[in-house]
Amino acid sequence: VPCVSSGLPKPTNITFLSINMKNILQWNPPEGLHGAEITYTVQYFIYGQKKWLNKSECRNIHRTYCDLSDETSDYEHQYYAKVKAIWGMNCSKWAETGRFYPFLETQIGPPEVALTTDEKSISIVLTAPEKWKKNPEESSISMQQIYSNLKYNVSIYNTKSNRTWSQCVTNHTLVLSWLEPDTVYCVLVESLVPGPARLTRPSEKQCVSTLKDQTSELKVK
Amino acid sequence: GQEFRFGPCRVEGVVLQELWEAFWDMKDVVQAQDNVTSVRLLRKEILQNVSEAESCYFIHSLLKFYLNTIFKNYHAKAVKFRILRSFSTLANNFAVIMSKLRPRQENEMFSISENARRRFLLFQGAFKQLDREAALTKAFGEMDILLTWMQKFYQ
């Protein structure tokens, strides 16, 4: 039985949270209805096409988010989504997102970072993050394949001197040379693509120590 | 520094990041005015598989149309929506790019330029099918699609 569009307030702050093309629609409950048994229904729309489409898994749901990754997986299209609140027989008007363009708006997750050390150098190997995929069995698509101009901002912190510096690199391997032996360095990497400013998600900080200086060890003997 | 390379056409002196920032500052305001969401002017099939050789002809036609039709007639709206700074940044940079494009006119380029022209006419045809004001608003709001396509030629 369809609900009656009444004065029920709309959900608020409806936005897409998008990371590596995993596109989650999220919203806040309507204001002033704390404790009420509210459910929500979601629809989405492909810009340039004709109809709003249902997302069956997000009909009459209690949670305040809905995974639309599959429905918005063609990142060259643009999308709208909307959600309405339902309470008993009453429902709110639709609350709608702005035009969502995954290609320009998805956050690019951090690369995988592998570090190996030497006396005075650290080798860094970066692996680009993967695009969201529906099934684990599907073949992976690297975000590098989508963004050929993907770059990385590598930040390096010398724990002994408290000095931090960073380098912007395009390839996947980087050797930090002229480092101090027997010193702990911490590395943190962000993925960057040209275009509109996007939130970035830095990698976990990784710390490694350069090896002791073998030559000074020999002299001591 | 970086430059546009639309096939043989090279354009230096334009910082694409500034165009992005200008558009992004007004994106929500501009796109919210577009109520004809069932129509997309710069459709995927128009922008897909544009050859390098074609790209100079195509971008020249598009920018000429944007400057002579869209920017020219959207100015009053830009004032009304208080987005004049973004509007000017984009208009001036489009004018600079267009002034530096030199699509070759030799006979052997005719078939390539015709391909590009067909693409442009698909865009222009969709534009003309809409109400004038709605079309201006829609084209202005689709500059993120245009800039995304241009980004591929920016190195």
Side-chain angles (χ1 to χ4, degrees):
Chain A
V1 176
C3 58
V4 176
S5 184
S6 66
L8 201 66
K10 295 194 283 193
T12 58
N13 296 331
I14 175 168
T15 56
F16 275 98
L17 172 63
S18 176
I19 302 170
N20 295 334
M21 303 293 183
K22 179 181 176 72
N23 304 326
I24 308 289
L25 183 70
Q26 56 185 22
W27 59 88
N28 291 344
E31 281 155 7
L33 292 177
H34 298 292
E37 182 83 2
I38 304 283
T39 62
Y40 305 95
T41 288
V42 169
Q43 290 187 336
Y44 67 97
F45 183 92
I46 302 170
Y47 177 58
Q49 297 192 10
K50 301 301 179 199
K51 291 191 311 181
W52 282 93
L53 303 169
N54 291 314
K55 166 79 173 179
S56 50
E57 296 89 340
C58 295
R59 184 198 294 266
N60 293 321
I61 56 173
H62 291 280
R63 61 181 188 274
T64 56
Y65 62 88
C66 171
D67 189 338
L68 289 173
S69 303
D70 198 24
E71 290 75 16
T72 56
S73 60
D74 184 337
Y75 48 79
E76 288 186 319
H77 270 305
Q78 300 178 317
Y79 303 90
Y80 293 86
K82 61 184 181 184
V83 61
K84 67 181 176 184
I86 301 153
W87 185 20
M89 293 302 296
N90 299 302
C91 51
S92 73
K93 291 187 170 57
W94 293 100
E96 200 172 303
T97 66
R99 195 178 299 172
F100 171 59
Y101 195 176
F103 184 79
L104 292 182
E105 299 182 49
T106 199
Q107 292 175 49
I108 318 290
E112 272 177 36
V113 180
L115 305 179
T116 48
T117 63
D118 203 333
E119 281 170 41
K120 294 181 179 174
S121 68
I122 294 175
S123 298
I124 304 176
V125 176
L126 305 172
T127 306
E130 285 179 8
K131 176 182 185 284
W132 168 86
K133 56 187 178 183
K134 189 171 182 180
N135 301 312
E137 304 82 43
E138 283 175 26
S139 57
S140 295
I141 298 173
S142 165
M143 292 296 274
Q144 176 85 52
Q145 292 168 258
I146 298 170
Y147 300 94
S148 56
N149 44 21
L150 179 63
K151 295 178 191 162
Y152 302 106
N153 185 48
V154 181
S155 301
I156 307 108
Y157 168 59
N158 178 331
T159 59
K160 200 180 278 185
S161 68
N162 266 331
R163 197 174 136 255
T164 300
W165 75 96
S166 55
Q167 292 173 233
C168 197
V169 297
T170 51
N171 43 24
H172 288 79
T173 54
L174 169 67
V175 177
L176 306 175
S177 307
W178 309 105
L179 302 179
E180 296 173 52
D182 195 19
T183 302
V184 173
Y185 288 87
C186 296
V187 174
L188 188 142
V189 187
E190 289 169 313
S191 304
L192 303 173
V193 287
R198 308 173 199 233
L199 293 175
T200 61
R201 294 188 157 259
S203 63
E204 294 286 327
K205 184 170 74 174
Q206 284 187 59
C207 302
V208 286
S209 176
T210 50
L211 306 183
K212 285 186 169 46
D213 187 348
Q214 305 303 323
T215 52
S216 62
E217 296 264 312
L218 290 175
K219 280 177 198 149
V220 167
K221 281 182 181 152
Chain B
Q2 292 184 286
E3 62 178 12
F4 283 109
R5 294 182 191 165
F6 297 107
C9 301
R10 300 297 166 102
V11 178
E12 292 174 350
V14 174
V15 180
L16 185 51
Q17 198 59 34
E18 288 172 10
L19 279 67
W20 277 121
E21 283 153 19
F23 181 80
W24 221 252
D25 284 348
M26 60 173 187
K27 168 191 183 314
D28 292 338
V29 170
V30 169
Q31 291 181 346
Q33 308 305 320
D34 180 0
N35 301 316
V36 188
T37 52
S38 59
V39 173
R40 169 172 163 169
L41 300 176
L42 287 168
R43 297 196 308 274
K44 269 180 72 175
E45 55 271 24
I46 291 175
L47 298 173
Q48 265 174 349
N49 309 318
V50 177
S51 68
E52 289 261 330
E54 238 183 289
S55 61
C56 188
Y57 298 98
F58 185 49
I59 190 63
H60 187 266
S61 303
L62 276 176
L63 294 186
K64 189 173 174 186
F65 186 81
Y66 262 85
L67 288 165
N68 297 344
T69 303
I70 295 158
F71 279 95
K72 186 175 160 190
N73 293 290
Y74 195 87
H75 185 270
K77 280 189 166 68
V79 173
K80 175 183 164 189
F81 298 134
R82 301 169 194 266
I83 54 170
L84 210 45
R85 195 158 59 94
S86 291
F87 175 93
S88 305
T89 299
L90 287 155
N92 293 330
N93 277 280
F94 277 14
V96 166
I97 296 169
M98 219 189 82
S99 68
K100 297 185 176 182
L101 292 171
R102 290 284 179 280
R104 291 166 51 192
Q105 301 307 330
E106 294 92 295
N107 288 339
E108 72 262 26
M109 299 302 284
F110 179 76
S111 67
I112 292 173
S113 63
E114 266 312 290
N115 284 342
R117 181 154 181 73
R118 262 193 297 273
R119 288 181 191 276
F120 171 72
L121 292 177
L122 286 173
F123 162 74
Q124 190 183 41
F127 180 91
K128 287 182 174 175
Q129 279 181 15
L130 291 176
D131 157 78
R132 176 87 175 164
E133 292 303 309
L136 288 170
T137 297
K138 179 172 288 299
F140 204 74
E142 288 191 3
M143 272 194 282
D144 50 0
I145 299 173
L146 176 56
L147 291 174
T148 298
W149 183 79
M150 291 169 71
Q151 177 88 59
K152 295 176 189 171
F153 299 87
Y154 193 65
Q155 296 150 29

